Amino acid sequence: MPPRTAGRHNPDVTHYAILCAHRGLGYFAERTLEASASREAAIADIMAGQVEGVEKVFCFNPAEHIADDVTEEIAVEIANRLDPACPIRPELRDFIETNAGLDYAHGLAVDDRSFAAA
């Protein structure tokens, strides 16, 4: 039997893991290998609501032995892409406010009226 190989996985790729929470339990969002190796896919998944309860976003590269918390960078990037006139989900606004700050969340329209300022 021939020796087993690592397959098509390239270890010198930066992956993005999305840590979520639901009812007090933390888990990493299940995503394909291709999607996890794309910063753009992580941003798109969060913006589209494909992952819920996003707490943190981590990037890591096994070949370079690096790992970083990039939650703030991702939240800022999402906030900069949003049109302030288009309403967003309350969870997305909360993610931006918590991780990028109130300055980035200020002025964003929210779908749910219960989150609107009185």
Side-chain angles (χ1 to χ4, degrees):
M1 180 181 283
R4 296 179 75 187
T5 60
R8 296 181 297 164
H9 172 68
N10 179 357
D12 194 10
V13 173
T14 300
H15 297 274
Y16 291 85
I18 302 172
L19 179 65
C20 303
H22 179 69
R23 296 185 183 182
L25 297 175
Y27 64 94
F28 284 100
E30 187 174 325
R31 302 166 65 225
T32 65
L33 185 59
E34 292 80 21
S36 73
S38 168
R39 178 184 178 95
E40 191 60 38
I43 291 169
D45 288 349
I46 294 169
M47 289 181 71
Q50 294 295 320
V51 289
E52 295 180 3
V54 177
E55 294 288 323
K56 294 284 183 186
V57 181
F58 300 102
C59 74
F60 62 94
N61 184 314
E64 295 181 16
H65 301 283
I66 62 164
D68 290 310
D69 179 348
V70 293
T71 311
E72 182 179 354
E73 294 172 27
I74 298 292
V76 168
E77 180 74 24
I78 290 170
N80 288 334
R81 292 183 184 195
L82 293 172
D83 178 359
C86 292
I88 60 172
R89 297 179 336 277
E91 297 84 13
L92 184 57
R93 186 197 183 280
D94 291 345
F95 173 75
I96 293 167
E97 182 179 336
T98 301
N99 297 291
L102 192 55
D103 289 342
Y104 286 96
H106 183 71
L108 293 175
V110 179
D111 260 343
D112 187 352
R113 289 287 179 202
S114 66
F115 281 79

